[in-house]
Amino acid sequence: MSKYYLIMDIGGTKTTGALFTENGEIVDDYAYTAKSQTFKGEEAVYQNTKAVLYHVIEHFQVSMEDVLGIGVGSPGPLDTKRGIIVHAPLMGWKNFPIVQRLKEDFQKPVVLDNDGNLGALAEQRCGLAMGYDNVMYMTVSTGCGGGMVINGQIYHGRNDGAAEVGHMSIDPEGRLCPCGSQGCFELYASGTAINRQIRDDMRTGEASSMAFELAGYDEEKLDGKVLVEAASKGDEYALEIYRKEGYYLGVGLANLFNLFDPDVFVLGGGVTKAREYFHEELMKTLKERCIQKVEEDQIRYSVMNDRVVLYGAYYLIRDHVNR
């Protein structure tokens, strides 16, 4: 009789569930995604989250007797030892005992970890960093989330706060961040930062770009997709925005290389789809600012995309069940 793992990736925008075989394959390559019920209250969000798992169970008509455990990825901050989501404002969760709740509802082992940590674990176990012991991962998207694997294991730090790469300050007198600090990395290098810059430039008329025309001068339509299209057509403004993106990424990665000296650094997230326009500047800046030599192939771009957290959560629960 086949055995399975239920896997879930909880996000502020969407929550995704899947069924994995014991060998780490997504059954039928099927992942179910539901809109997260943000701002609707703690219990409504939890019931929606739980419903994602029930949908997967019903879709495959699998018996819970054949499910070995449940792996969960979530944004932080977390207390992974106690299985608690410490603070998730979009969800209305504060010190929410998600592991305990899922154990009570499904009567199976449940483990929880940060989505960035699970991205790093997935890349180290079955992705572009497979075979290496010391790996860093960063998703460049709405923000810049990270994770790190040291000697083959997720490194959490004392308070589950390790690898919060988006909140290292690269400009101590820079922009104010919602976290309370100034000049945080993700304020300059994330997809949100790019969108803010191009919308400000269009609004003030300080720059001219094909991207503005492609968006019909509509702020809601001005985003990374039209910026990439403009860059592909040689638009100088779009290319300069991506050059700056490469510069800021290079500055941040140089700090991390100087601190941790990883074997491989994997970049994921929506912004990396435009890597052909920023990679050269990233590598130039990285090499200029690193005290040690950085090889070209130490920077890699994830190919697991939206499923990297699911794979990481699979390895997390599999290791837990088999230890």
Side-chain angles (χ1 to χ4, degrees), residues 141-142 175 185-198 245:
S141 186
T142 304
R175 297 168 183 154
F185 181 42
E186 68 178 36
L187 297 179
Y188 301 88
S190 66
T192 300
I194 291 174
N195 286 345
R196 180 185 62 244
Q197 183 66 60
I198 60 178
E245 174 67 11

Side-chain angles (χ1 to χ4, degrees), residues 97-312:
I98 190 164
V99 166
Q100 177 186 331
R101 293 289 301 273
L102 289 172
K103 282 181 176 178
E104 291 171 353
D105 286 331
F106 291 93
Q107 297 296 304
K108 292 293 176 180
V110 182
V111 288
L112 167 74
D113 216 317
N114 178 273
D115 46 13
N117 289 338
L118 295 178
L121 185 65
E123 293 293 351
Q124 192 264 340
R125 294 293 182 88
C126 67
L128 296 181
M130 188 166 57
Y132 293 93
D133 290 332
N134 302 307
V135 174
M136 292 203 70
Y137 170 83
M138 183 170 71
T139 179
V140 190
S141 186
T142 304
C144 293
M148 54 197 300
V149 168
I150 297 178
N151 294 328
Q153 300 296 322
I154 292 173
Y155 178 71
H156 292 97
R158 177 175 178 174
N159 297 306
D160 277 319
E164 286 288 352
V165 296
H167 295 287
M168 60 180 175
S169 181
I170 62 171
D171 183 355
E173 303 299 324
R175 297 168 183 154
L176 290 174
C177 182
C179 78
S181 186
Q182 283 183 258
C184 289
F185 181 42
E186 68 178 36
L187 297 179
Y188 301 88
S190 66
T192 300
I194 291 174
N195 286 345
R196 180 185 62 244
Q197 183 66 60
I198 60 178
R199 289 174 181 181
D200 284 350
D201 288 343
M202 185 180 75
R203 192 182 307 117
T204 60
E206 292 182 8
S208 174
S209 173
M210 183 185 298
F212 304 160
E213 298 171 11
L214 291 169
Y217 290 88
D218 183 343
E219 281 191 33
E220 296 304 314
K221 295 179 181 178
L222 186 60
D223 57 18
K225 291 181 180 178
V226 295
L227 193 68
V228 166
E229 185 176 350
S232 72
K233 295 178 180 179
D235 180 66
E236 288 299 327
Y237 172 83
L239 293 171
E240 177 61 15
I241 287 289
Y242 282 122
R243 189 198 67 77
K244 289 180 180 177
E245 174 67 11
Y247 168 76
Y248 285 125
L249 285 173
V251 170
L253 266 62
N255 289 337
L256 294 167
F257 266 86
N258 285 336
L259 189 59
F260 295 108
D261 191 20
D263 295 318
V264 176
F265 201 120
V266 182
L267 292 167
V271 173
T272 63
K273 294 176 182 178
R275 58 185 174 270
E276 66 180 288
Y277 305 114
F278 66 71
H279 178 76
E280 183 178 352
E281 186 68 24
L282 184 161
M283 292 304 302
K284 174 177 174 288
T285 306
L286 175 59
K287 289 179 178 181
E288 287 174 351
R289 290 171 176 259
C290 271
I291 196 169
Q292 75 271 19
K293 185 178 181 181
V294 178
E295 302 291 347
E296 289 284 339
D297 70 349
Q298 285 183 266
I299 302 298
R300 304 179 184 186
Y301 294 92
S302 180
V303 295
M304 284 192 274
N305 300 317
D306 290 344
R307 296 189 175 185
V308 67
V309 176
L310 295 175
Y311 278 98

Side-chain angles (χ1 to χ4, degrees), residues 42-114:
E42 174 181 292
E43 194 59 30
V45 174
Y46 174 70
Q47 292 302 325
N48 180 69
T49 300
K50 187 172 68 172
V52 169
L53 292 180
Y54 279 128
H55 176 94
V56 173
I57 292 167
E58 292 169 6
H59 177 83
F60 288 107
Q61 292 293 296
V62 65
S63 168
M64 285 305 295
E65 293 181 0
D66 296 323
V67 173
L68 298 171
I70 301 172
V72 181
S74 169
L78 311 175
D79 182 335
T80 58
K81 293 185 177 67
R82 295 193 297 153
I84 290 172
I85 296 177
V86 176
H87 190 41
L90 294 178
M91 313 291 192
W93 286 344
K94 193 164 187 178
N95 295 319
F96 188 77
I98 190 164
V99 166
Q100 177 186 331
R101 293 289 301 273
L102 289 172
K103 282 181 176 178
E104 291 171 353
D105 286 331
F106 291 93
Q107 297 296 304
K108 292 293 176 180
V110 182
V111 288
L112 167 74
D113 216 317
N114 178 273

